[in-house]
Structure formats: C-alpha cells, structure tokens
Amino acid sequence: MTTSAETAVHNGKLFIHTVGCQMNELDSELVVAALRKHGYELTADVADADTVLFNTCSVREHAEHKIYSALGRLKYSKRKRPDQVIGVMGCMAQKDQKLIFQKAPHVDLVVGTGQLSEIPLLIDNARENRERQMAISLARRDATRQKVADSFESYDPLRDPEMRPSAFQAYVRIMIGCDKFCTYCVVPMTRGPEQSRSPKHIVQEVQQLAAEGVKEVTLLGQTVNSYRHTENGREYRLSDLIASFHDTPGLERIKFVTNYPRDMTDDLLQAVRDLPKVAHYLHVPAQSGCDEMLKRMKRGYTVEHYREMMHRIHETVPDCSVSSDFIVGFCGETDAAHEKSMELIREFRFKNSFIFKYSARTGTKADAIMLDDVPEETKRRRNNEMLDLQNEISEEDNAARIGREYDILVEGPSKSAVKAGDDDSIPQTQLSGRTRCDRIVVFDGNRRLTGSTTRVRIDDCTATTLIGTIVTRELQHTADGGLPILG
Ligand code: 5AD
Ligand code: SF4
C-alpha cells in the first residue's frame, strides 16, 4: 500500500510489542485501532512488518533493558528494508526522549503517553520525510501544573470493537497521571499530572461498550479511587461514577484498579457492597509493612492506617478479596524491615501479591537522595521468601474453597487450552473465568459459554487457580411423581 505521498511505499503490516500495565494494554489497543482505520493490519511476525511499534514501561529498569535489546535486534534488519518505520511509544519515550535516538539511532519515532493520537501522522511524516519524529509532553519541573497537565492528552478515541483482546471484556480509562510522587516511582513523570476524565464521557463509553456486547469493564487509573471530577457544580467521586453507569443493560461486572490506600473512602466501600455488579475485589498496594520504609517511600500512610483500612473493607464487604504490591530491597531496608512486610502478608492474607525488587529510576526522589544500598542478592532472597509466603497463603485460602460453588463469569479457553489448540470442533475445552472475588477458576466446558455466567463447584486448587466442574442443572422427578423441578 502507499501513504499520502506516492514515494512512501510500505506493506501496511504493523507489529506492536506491548509491555507494562493495563494502561499500556489499553493504549496499544487504541493505537492499533486508529492505525487500522489508516489501512494497517496487524502481524505477529516482526520480520513481516514495515511498521514496528514498542509500547514501553519505565517502572523498572529491567523492562527498559528488554526494549533496548529488542531495538538492537532490529538494527540490521532495518538496513535491509530502509522503508521500515520503528517507533517507541509510552512511558520510556516520555522518560528517555532523545536518549532513545542516541542509544538506538535506527529508531524513527519517539511518542510519549500524552501524544498517542498523533501516531498515524507521525508515522506518515517519518516515512515520507525520512526524518526523526518526536512528540512528548512537558517535564513536571518545566512549567506550571496546568501547563504540564495540558501537554498530557488523555487518549480515548472511539472504541473499535474488533480490537479488543476479548469481545466481552474492556478496559475504560477514567483518569490519567499521578500526583502522589512516591519517592521510588517514575509514573508522575511519565504519565504526568493526575487528571480525571469527565463522567459524561466515561458513561457514554461504558454504554457503547455494553451495547457492543461487553459484559465486564475494568476502570483504569494509577490511583483509581482518587477519581474526582467536578461538572455543573457537582463533584463526582468513584462511587458516584460507578453508580451512574451501574444499571447499563448487558453489563454484568465492574472492576477498578489500582487503589491508593489513603483514598479508600467509606462511600466507595458502600458502593462495592450495595451495587451487585461490582466485583468484591480490591487491589490496594501496601508496598511495605514497615513504617520507616513507608515514610521513605512517601506513601502517606502507616501500617496502622493500612490496618484500619483493611478493617473497614472487611467490615463493609465481608467476603471482599484484597491483593497487594510489595517492593523488596528499597533503600535502607533491613532484614527486620523486610520481616515486617512478611508479617503484614501473614496478617492480611492477600489473595495475591505482586512483588518487585526495588529498581532505582532516574528522575525520582529516591534516586536523587537515597542510596540503593540493598545488594541484588539480598533483594532476590527477599523476593523469593515473600513469593513463597504469599503462595503458601494463596494455596491455603484456595484449598478452603474446595467443595463450594461459585458463579463464574467465563472468560474463554484457559491459556493452556489455547496453547493445546484452538479447534472449534472440540466441544469440551478447558475454560477459565473468575469468581466475583476475582479468583481464577478453570473447568471443562463448551467454549460457547464464553461471556456467560456459569455455576462451578470447586474440586481442587493450586496457589493461583481453583479447579472445578460445571454444576449441571438436571431435570429431576419429585418423589410423589409430580411435575419435574429444576435441581
Ligand atoms: N522499583 C520496583 N518496583 C516499583 N514499582 C513502582 N516503582 C518501582 C521501582 N522503582 C512497583 C510498585 C507499584 C507497581 C506497579 O510497581 O509496587 O505498585
Ligand atoms: Fe507511582 Fe505512587 Fe503514583 Fe502509584 S501512587 S503511580 S506508586 S507515584
């Protein structure tokens, strides 16, 4: 195919590699949808593509290294196909900017998180003019908060149903950016100031998605429960927002990630309790179980605050599951401090925890003023210890569910079933879905159950998964020979 300039020929094949959080997954979905409107089609084979995009993450150094290695591998292939356009988008683009061109001179495009709508045009420019294109937002230090905020545009174009990874699940962005400035975290720089989207636009988006068959929406925000938007003199919080689209026909389940402990207000917990479509599941990262570490991290709460929040969660929504994030080996973390995090996991028995070794990030306060003094070997040991503990707890709590029945929203063939084959003619395949408390359940069933709610009895488990059987509703005859009833 050709673009607007007759000289700029390319094969229309687009390869995109996405790493990082759900926000990145959504960004990639939207960018791909926009490029399809410009005539591109996706390929899973990078060797096939004249347009290659990397949607990147800067939260840890490891994720960045992997992208730079992947870029390095394209250096020679690009020599053979000079028309290829290679782009780096997302957090690493905003953070590293021109450094990307220095480290990988064959890159044509660097596009920050706030300029994603410009990608189709920037690709055309790069191809037609053979000139590097860079579009990024203002740095937080370089202008007023408002000016910096204006330079980060929330990218929420009309949704393309074909582009969703699943026909009945969708992410919906409700806010961008973060103003919490935890000392270890690069997100306030890469995603800019915290800005909540208008409830009107969010509700429209959810209604459109539900009309297209979406049953489950996951609201996204770096601190999703800090959502606040004033419209026509009224302030909307997350609880108001959820209530305003909760009754949308077709919609069955509502989730939201990631929560900030200090903003876990009672009105939100009451909404989780009272609105039947809301999952009884909260992801609320604790990061550490040691007050000294929490202070150094500038998390804005103590262990006692977190405990009080957990108490309120369980008081209001008794069966609510909670998951967490932890950083091990943060600056100055002693074995005693690490043990306090382990104690926190023992106390609250999280459904699951994401555990990360501290990674110093340029531009953060911790990197500027603290010493990354925990040796890698110690970080690794603490990481493994914590993983083992969390796995033990997850498995015990899953085992306690054996014999119970749950209504499962079926997500489709499980990952192992997909690997085994995608043959529609096989009626029974291993399906995967989730309970209302977000526990993953696998069971055999017909793939046509995807998107429906099915009752499953739990027979077995691992630390991460419940394993069950569909509870079939059989016609039974009553003892007195009366009318059959549904059992
Ligand atoms: N090093 C390690 N983990 C980090 N996270 C954020 N920044 C860093 C860092 N510099 C973790 C936090 C956060 C999750 C998304 O990533 O636990 O909740
Ligand atoms: Fe990063 Fe803290 Fe904001 Fe989460 S709340 S995105 S950890 S700065």
Side-chain angles (χ1 to χ4, degrees):
M1 77 173 264
T2 56
T3 57
S4 45
E6 285 307 314
T7 47
V9 181
H10 65 105
N11 68 3
K13 298 267 176 73
L14 165 73
F15 173 87
I16 186 163
H17 179 64
T18 304
V19 294
C21 61
Q22 291 108 323
M23 203 62 107
N24 270 12
E25 285 174 35
L26 175 59
D27 284 340
S28 288
E29 177 191 323
L30 299 174
V31 165
V32 172
L35 287 169
R36 279 161 60 103
K37 292 207 177 75
H38 283 75
Y40 288 84
E41 59 170 317
L42 263 187
T43 170
D45 182 4
V46 65
D48 219 21
D50 277 350
T51 309
V52 179
L53 291 177
F54 291 93
N55 192 1
T56 57
C57 172
S58 289
V59 167
R60 284 168 293 277
E61 192 181 18
H62 183 62
E64 293 189 342
H65 272 164
K66 284 203 342 212
I67 296 293
Y68 278 116
S69 309
L71 288 171
R73 287 194 291 277
L74 288 179
K75 187 168 163 188
Y76 298 100
S77 71
K78 179 148 182 190
R79 284 196 191 148
K80 285 189 228 131
R81 53 194 311 168
D83 284 326
Q84 192 172 49
V85 167
I86 300 175
V88 175
M89 58 186 261
C91 289
M92 205 176 100
Q94 179 62 36
K95 176 175 155 283
D96 283 1
Q97 306 186 358
K98 278 189 196 144
L99 184 66
I100 296 175
F101 293 134
Q102 284 161 24
K103 284 189 169 179
H106 52 297
V107 167
D108 304 281
L109 209 67
V110 170
V111 187
T113 56
Q115 287 72 29
L116 301 180
S117 64
E118 296 172 35
I119 284 187
L121 180 71
L122 293 167
I123 293 176
D124 279 358
N125 288 349
R127 191 164 270 125
E128 284 160 27
N129 311 326
R130 298 306 330 160
E131 265 173 20
R132 284 173 176 166
Q133 309 287 313
M134 186 164 89
I136 46 161
S137 300
L138 295 172
R140 294 208 59 153
R141 276 197 200 112
D142 289 354
T144 60
R145 188 189 181 284
Q146 190 53 50
K147 282 204 173 123
V148 178
D150 290 346
S151 76
F152 279 89
E153 179 202 351
S154 180
Y155 182 49
D156 301 288
L158 285 177
R159 309 292 295 255
D160 178 344
E162 280 179 57
M163 277 326 301
R164 272 197 299 283
S166 146
F168 72 94
Q169 291 173 298
Y171 292 129
V172 174
R173 193 188 330 265
I174 67 165
M175 56 192 295
I176 59 168
C178 182
D179 285 342
K180 306 292 193 265
F181 286 97
C182 302
T183 54
Y184 52 80
C185 185
V186 79
V187 168
M189 278 62 83
T190 60
R191 293 249 170 212
E194 184 180 306
Q195 302 182 71
S196 295
R197 285 179 71 204
S198 141
K200 202 171 77 199
H201 294 155
I202 297 167
V203 172
Q204 275 168 1
E205 197 171 320
V206 172
Q207 285 168 343
Q208 185 209 335
L209 290 165
E212 288 164 2
V214 166
K215 302 249 162 84
E216 177 188 283
V217 292
T218 303
L219 309 179
L220 298 185
Q222 249 75 39
T223 55
V224 73
N225 57 338
S226 314
Y227 178 88
R228 237 157 246 252
H229 197 278
T230 305
E231 208 157 77
N232 303 326
R234 183 185 159 190
E235 189 187 62
Y236 286 79
R237 301 213 240 164
L238 180 56
S239 56
D240 306 310
L241 178 70
I242 294 175
S244 63
F245 67 73
H246 177 271
D247 293 339
T248 305
L251 194 63
E252 282 183 24
R253 195 167 283 175
I254 301 162
K255 302 195 227 177
F256 48 92
V257 286
T258 290
N259 291 283
Y260 185 63
R262 266 182 52 178
D263 290 333
M264 193 57 82
T265 50
D266 286 337
D267 60 302
L268 181 59
L269 294 177
Q270 284 151 12
V272 174
R273 179 192 62 198
D274 297 339
L275 298 172
K277 296 178 182 176
V278 181
H280 283 186
Y281 161 63
L282 297 167
H283 180 61
V284 205
Q287 310 297 2
S288 171
C290 168
D291 283 340
E292 176 58 28
M293 286 296 114
L294 290 171
K295 202 166 161 196
R296 291 181 138 235
M297 290 174 169
K298 199 174 153 283
R299 285 291 287 176
Y301 54 84
T302 61
V303 172
E304 194 44 43
H305 288 138
Y306 194 87
R307 182 172 290 120
E308 181 271 332
M309 175 204 73
M310 288 295 280
H311 187 68
R312 278 189 299 113
I313 292 175
H314 289 132
E315 208 171 46
T316 314
V317 194
D319 71 337
C320 195
S321 69
V322 178
S323 62
S324 183
D325 292 351
F326 285 92
I327 298 177
V328 294
F330 185 58
C331 311
E333 190 190 59
T334 58
D335 276 340
H338 169 64
E339 186 46 43
K340 287 183 181 165
S341 294
M342 300 281 280
E343 214 24 69
L344 195 84
I345 294 180
R346 285 188 201 104
E347 181 176 350
F348 297 124
R349 301 187 72 85
F350 297 105
K351 174 174 78 80
N352 62 290
S353 292
F354 299 95
I355 300 159
F356 307 101
K357 289 181 287 173
Y358 171 61
S359 165
R361 310 289 41 230
T362 311
T364 61
K365 191 155 180 201
D367 187 54
I369 64 166
M370 295 179 208
L371 213 56
D372 181 12
D373 55 357
V374 178
E376 181 59 28
E377 182 46 40
T378 310
K379 287 180 184 170
R380 199 174 312 132
R381 176 175 53 77
R382 290 180 188 165
N383 185 72
N384 291 342
E385 270 177 29
M386 202 177 260
L387 265 178
D388 287 348
L389 173 64
Q390 179 61 60
N391 277 342
E392 199 182 300
I393 287 170
S394 299
E395 194 167 347
E396 278 172 15
D397 288 356
N398 275 349
R401 287 169 169 78
I402 292 175
R404 294 194 205 162
E405 290 181 11
Y406 294 94
D407 286 325
I408 306 301
L409 185 55
V410 186
E411 296 182 358
S414 70
K415 278 187 191 137
S416 52
V418 174
K419 267 188 223 126
D422 210 13
D423 187 350
D424 231 3
S425 65
I426 303 169
Q428 295 283 307
T429 186
Q430 191 183 59
L431 299 174
S432 163
R434 281 171 203 254
T435 66
R436 190 178 181 192
C437 295
D438 206 55
R439 291 180 192 272
I440 300 169
V441 185
V442 297
F443 50 94
D444 286 342
N446 193 306
R447 67 179 59 223
R448 274 180 303 209
L449 287 172
T450 301
S452 69
T453 300
T454 300
R455 191 123 184 115
V456 173
R457 191 189 55 246
I458 307 305
D459 309 317
D460 199 357
C461 74
T462 67
T464 53
T465 313
L466 297 169
I467 302 155
T469 321
I470 292 184
V471 178
T472 42
R473 293 171 148 244
E474 286 165 4
L475 282 179
Q476 295 174 349
H477 289 275
T478 53
D480 62 1
L483 286 171
I485 53 163
L486 279 177

